[in-house]
Amino acid sequence: MISVGVAVEGIPRSADKLYEYLLAEGVSAPVGSVVTVPFGRGNHPVRGVILGDAPKDGTPPEKLKTVLSVGECYLSSEALSLIRYLRDRYFCTWFEAARCLLPTGVFGGSAKSVMSASVPDEGAAAAYMEAHYTNRKHCDVLGFLLEEGQMTVKELTYMAGVSESVVKTLAKKGLILLEKAEVLRNPLKDRPIPETPPKVVLNEEQTVAADRLISDLNSGKTHLLYGVTGSGKTHVFIRLIDEALNQGKQAVLMIPEISLTLQIVNRLYAHYGQSLAVLHSGLSMGERHDEWRRIRSGEAKVVIGTRSAVFAPVSEGSLFIIDEEQEHTYKSEASPRYHAREVAAYRVALGKGLLLLASATPSFESYYRATNGIIGFEQLTERFNGKPLPKVLVADLRREMMSGNRSCIGKTLGLELEKNLARGEQTILFMNRRGYQSHITCTSCNTVVKCPHCGIAMTYHSYNNRVVCNYCGYSTGYLSTCASCGGKRLLYSGVGTQKAEEELQRLFPGIRVCRMDADTVGGKYTREGILNDFRDKKYDVLLGTQMITKGLDFPDVTLVGVLNADMSLYTSDFRAFEKTFSLLTQVVGRAGRADKEGRAVVQTYSPAHYVLHYSFAQDYQKFYREEMALRKSLLYPPYCDLCQFCFLADTESEAFRAANDFSEDVRKKTKDDPESFPVRLILPKVTAVPLVGGKTRVRVLMKCKDTRPQRQMISDLLDQFRSRKENRDVTITADMNPVNIL
Ligand code: ADP
Ligand code: ZN
């Protein structure tokens, strides 16, 4: 009888191993086959993957159970190495690692169906809110929806801090309409191949970069391509991909968000036609499965996709390109908590391919490695054709506020907008609405709640339920009483995109505004439809959140306005400045990309902030130097690694108890061997977001080095923690170098 080692689904990491099973007489199943096996006392059938031989634990063969059914073999030997790599590196189980390498749908999987919510009858909702004003949860949910018009259920539950069941209850009452939001079609399906674009001749800088990269196509190395916005990085990619294909290789181009970047998908489609495959979570499961097969068979030679495309079944030695490599979407926030950059680097090193990271605002980690000779470094310093950078006008919101203008469109921006309308040129207005913001006014005495230190209007952030001063960072809990008159009725009024649109209509009657904000644009318009209409000049203004900052290239946009540049500046994340810099640089880079000169108006409460200044000048290097000095003195990445542990429990005290116990374990362990494990702990802290389901989350941050012995130590600590009885109801997770610090 032959026995095999099976990775079994649903095993906690502490019990994770390859379980030994027998294959029935006459059944053959190569390593990499998917199977079902009987598991546990009840012998329930569970899913698994054969990953090799099981370590013999002395169970006599007659006691071993037999594999119930054998499916297809999906995993190559490279995939098997990758699985070992993932498990070692990201503290996940064998099955979780294996699952990444299998085409979706093999195990039924979770086809993502995005639900969106809206209020069908605003009058009814308002009446309900009045009658049920004591039910905060219901009122919050309806309030958000009235404000936003339409949100995905995910966004809504996050913003209102409620569980999905609250939304469902309201839907049952007919107050909320739930609809299946548009699932992205395969953007290429049934689409005629566009005309082949005219052949591009690379300029000198581009040629130098491309040639050096081409000579490293078989090196197993990683390179960073640092190129200012508009320098033509995409043309370098295409040149490189062409050469890879010439050498019989496959290529994977990763982008942060597929729906925002249809332009590049279209460009590649025009180039590669049917040899192009697209992989992202918006495709139906069947479509993804088909694309997976086309890639593995080699029929599809070029793959464009999001984070998970890093696992595409391309042959060994392929070319990987990660565009906008600093984007947080490349890091998975569910187990395995992998970073596409690390996985891709591992794959190309193993198979002797090439990994190209590209950005105008690289992550500090990558730029540090590139400038210290650890990875290759190419630069594009000029915008193509030497187009000038857009001129940036800084508008001081403090002045606006003091002169009584509480509109979200300040004077400067208003004037520039007027010019654009008169000239028939287009404008993009950007609003960073991360954590919904609003002003607070007392309905009795009509005063606005202001910061006691700066006198600036404070804003309410629903994601952490705090009232914050955007200027000095002072914050306080949710307010229900007016400080000047003691009145009990405070009005929280939004400055979301919907408010901004109303404001535009009021200031410029007849202005044609298209708004793009919810996670998925439902109803009549698809996102692509909106963008096409905007390009066809059916609108004067495109107004939206983060999603409009990237990759869009509209020739007639000559003005970009940032309604509030500070929103992401004052958060507890040590990367807050880096993220803000990147965001603003990209936004400003949107203006004037074609032959017309562009300008940007940035409204801010902190006009003197260095992050803003360097981003307006698109001076990454100066910003990098200043910020790195800070990171060095405070010891933050890339000068160390940061491991985030989360403790999820029913009560706050339980979560704290667990976090404290764990910190104590770490201290003990490191005291024994301070040389090898020089760790610094940052004390546990309750995170801002109450988790869905009413559980509390506490985190412990640990500064360490992401080396094999330290990962082993962490892995041992996790096992030790999980094996204790008192921790039975606590969930602990570990995340090395998370992109979002809780
Ligand atoms: P990036 O991605 O670096 O911001 P793009 O690749 O989008 O820049 O290029 C910016 C603009 O310049 C695009 O319109 C692109 O077609 C044009 N461009 C860049 N390089 C060339 C070239 N060598 N020949 C013709 N056009 C180019
Ligand atoms: Zn203040």
Side-chain angles (χ1 to χ4, degrees), residues 422-693:
R423 290 199 291 243
E425 293 174 1
Q426 289 183 299
T427 303
I428 291 181
L429 294 181
F430 166 71
M431 176 159 234
N432 187 355
R433 198 184 46 91
R434 237 198 104 125
Y436 180 85
Q437 291 217 352
S438 52
H439 289 295
I440 311 158
T441 326
C442 171
T443 51
S444 319
C445 69
N446 220 12
T447 48
V448 177
V449 173
K450 289 187 179 148
C451 173
H453 307 292
C454 322
I456 303 297
M458 309 254 290
T459 52
Y460 172 66
H461 296 233
S462 70
Y463 67 97
N464 58 3
N465 199 29
R466 289 191 79 74
V467 178
V468 180
C469 168
N470 275 326
Y471 185 56
C472 73
Y474 167 80
S475 76
T476 161
Y478 188 89
L479 296 172
S480 50
T481 321
C482 171
S484 38
C485 77
K488 290 269 183 234
R489 294 197 50 203
L490 293 181
L491 179 70
Y492 283 66
S493 54
V495 289
T497 44
Q498 193 171 8
K499 272 270 151 48
E501 181 176 0
E502 284 166 26
E503 200 56 33
L504 286 168
Q505 298 291 359
R506 190 180 65 81
L507 292 170
F508 307 100
I511 191 170
R512 297 168 307 162
V513 179
C514 66
R515 189 152 67 87
M516 214 161 95
D517 46 19
D519 263 355
T520 310
V521 183
K524 274 185 297 196
Y525 294 113
T526 61
R527 206 178 309 219
E528 197 186 359
I530 291 183
L531 295 179
N532 283 339
D533 283 354
F534 184 64
R535 186 187 317 274
D536 294 344
K537 303 197 75 171
K538 291 183 189 156
Y539 294 102
D540 306 307
V541 173
L542 175 64
L543 169 69
T545 51
Q546 257 96 325
M547 68 168 69
I548 61 172
T549 58
K550 304 200 172 78
L552 305 177
D553 195 356
F554 297 107
D556 288 307
V557 171
T558 51
L559 173 63
V560 170
V562 179
L563 297 188
N564 185 339
D566 315 77
M567 290 203 185
S568 57
L569 219 42
Y570 302 106
T571 64
S572 55
D573 190 339
F574 76 92
R575 286 200 190 86
F577 287 3
E578 190 185 335
K579 286 177 183 169
T580 307
F581 178 87
S582 166
L583 199 72
L584 288 177
T585 307
Q586 296 195 34
V587 176
V588 170
R590 289 303 113 213
R593 285 172 70 92
D595 46 353
K596 294 187 191 120
E597 204 174 304
R599 63 209 190 286
V601 175
V602 177
Q603 305 193 130
T604 172
Y605 288 102
S606 334
H609 204 293
Y610 77 96
V611 173
L612 303 193
H613 279 268
Y614 290 144
S615 64
F616 299 159
Q618 308 248 319
D619 197 336
Y620 177 83
Q621 271 112 338
K622 278 218 183 96
F623 171 66
Y624 173 82
R625 254 177 263 137
E626 193 148 327
E627 183 70 14
M628 282 294 269
L630 201 67
R631 298 262 181 106
K632 192 168 189 177
S633 67
L634 298 176
L635 189 61
Y636 268 113
Y639 292 104
C640 70
D641 292 293
L642 213 51
C643 192
Q644 174 169 269
F645 300 94
C646 278
F647 302 83
L648 195 69
D650 286 335
T651 63
E652 199 175 304
S653 59
E654 181 64 3
F656 261 102
R657 199 264 318 143
N660 286 322
D661 284 1
F662 183 79
S663 308
E664 198 44 48
D665 288 349
V666 176
R667 258 179 232 115
K668 269 196 211 120
K669 193 117 185 171
T670 53
K671 221 168 56 205
D672 297 345
D673 192 358
E675 295 280 288
S676 330
F677 307 123
V679 295
R680 281 207 226 167
L681 290 183
I682 300 176
L683 287 178
K685 165 186 151 196
V686 183
T687 62
V689 196
L691 262 204
V692 177

Side-chain angles (χ1 to χ4, degrees), residues 260-274:
L260 309 186
T261 356
L262 282 168
Q263 292 182 11
I264 187 162
V265 175
N266 286 335
R267 254 161 99 179
L268 289 187
Y269 190 48
H271 237 85
Y272 301 109
Q274 289 307 320

Side-chain angles (χ1 to χ4, degrees), residues 200-203 206 228-235 384 553 593:
V200 164
V201 182
L202 297 186
N203 68 19
Q206 292 166 341
V228 297
T229 49
S231 59
K233 290 184 284 297
T234 320
H235 291 296
F384 185 70
D553 195 356
R593 285 172 70 92

Side-chain angles (χ1 to χ4, degrees), residues 203-486:
N203 68 19
E204 203 179 315
E205 256 191 342
Q206 292 166 341
T207 309
V208 170
D211 287 348
R212 287 172 41 136
L213 292 166
I214 285 168
S215 69
D216 263 356
L217 269 173
N218 297 298
S219 65
K221 278 177 64 176
T222 298
H223 280 250
L224 173 67
L225 173 63
Y226 162 64
V228 297
T229 49
S231 59
K233 290 184 284 297
T234 320
H235 291 296
V236 175
F237 299 165
I238 291 176
R239 173 81 188 81
L240 193 59
I241 296 172
D242 283 345
E243 184 56 33
L245 299 197
N246 274 343
Q247 297 186 14
K249 289 167 175 278
Q250 285 173 298
V252 179
L253 171 60
M254 282 184 268
I255 53 185
E257 236 290 16
I258 207 114
S259 58
L260 309 186
T261 356
L262 282 168
Q263 292 182 11
I264 187 162
V265 175
N266 286 335
R267 254 161 99 179
L268 289 187
Y269 190 48
H271 237 85
Y272 301 109
Q274 289 307 320
S275 340
L276 182 68
V278 182
L279 276 186
H280 62 92
S281 60
L283 301 180
S284 74
M285 236 153 49
E287 282 171 327
R288 270 192 279 176
H289 208 123
D290 292 350
E291 292 294 68
W292 195 92
R293 284 182 193 282
R294 288 209 309 129
I295 297 164
R296 191 170 69 163
S297 73
E299 180 194 329
K301 301 202 166 24
V302 181
V303 181
I304 185 160
T306 45
R307 177 179 69 225
S308 59
V310 77
F311 298 115
V314 289
S315 52
E316 286 186 53
S318 291
L319 166 68
F320 284 81
I321 301 174
I322 303 186
D323 194 18
E324 306 288 357
E325 62 91 31
Q326 80 286 359
E327 285 295 329
H328 67 268
T329 47
Y330 289 121
K331 175 83 169 36
S332 165
E333 299 205 74
S335 190
R337 296 180 166 73
Y338 68 90
H339 198 299
R341 201 163 51 207
E342 293 170 358
V343 176
Y346 176 80
R347 286 191 78 172
V348 305
L350 193 72
K352 294 269 175 282
L354 173 70
L355 168 60
L356 177 61
L357 309 171
S359 179
T361 53
S363 66
F364 278 22
E365 287 84 348
S366 297
Y367 196 76
Y368 177 81
R369 283 149 53 81
T371 49
N372 285 283
I374 302 165
I375 59 176
F377 189 33
E378 321 304 330
Q379 299 190 62
L380 301 178
T381 57
E382 299 151 22
R383 294 189 122 199
F384 185 70
N385 281 346
K387 279 175 228 157
L389 282 175
K391 204 164 94 198
V392 179
L393 304 163
V394 181
D396 188 344
L397 282 177
R398 288 175 304 176
R399 286 224 197 114
E400 296 278 351
M401 193 68 80
M402 286 170 187
S403 69
N405 181 6
R406 285 184 48 213
S407 159
C408 55
I409 312 284
K411 260 201 213 93
T412 314
L413 182 54
L415 282 174
E416 294 302 321
L417 201 51
E418 200 173 314
K419 281 187 214 157
N420 254 32
L421 289 171
R423 290 199 291 243
E425 293 174 1
Q426 289 183 299
T427 303
I428 291 181
L429 294 181
F430 166 71
M431 176 159 234
N432 187 355
R433 198 184 46 91
R434 237 198 104 125
Y436 180 85
Q437 291 217 352
S438 52
H439 289 295
I440 311 158
T441 326
C442 171
T443 51
S444 319
C445 69
N446 220 12
T447 48
V448 177
V449 173
K450 289 187 179 148
C451 173
H453 307 292
C454 322
I456 303 297
M458 309 254 290
T459 52
Y460 172 66
H461 296 233
S462 70
Y463 67 97
N464 58 3
N465 199 29
R466 289 191 79 74
V467 178
V468 180
C469 168
N470 275 326
Y471 185 56
C472 73
Y474 167 80
S475 76
T476 161
Y478 188 89
L479 296 172
S480 50
T481 321
C482 171
S484 38
C485 77

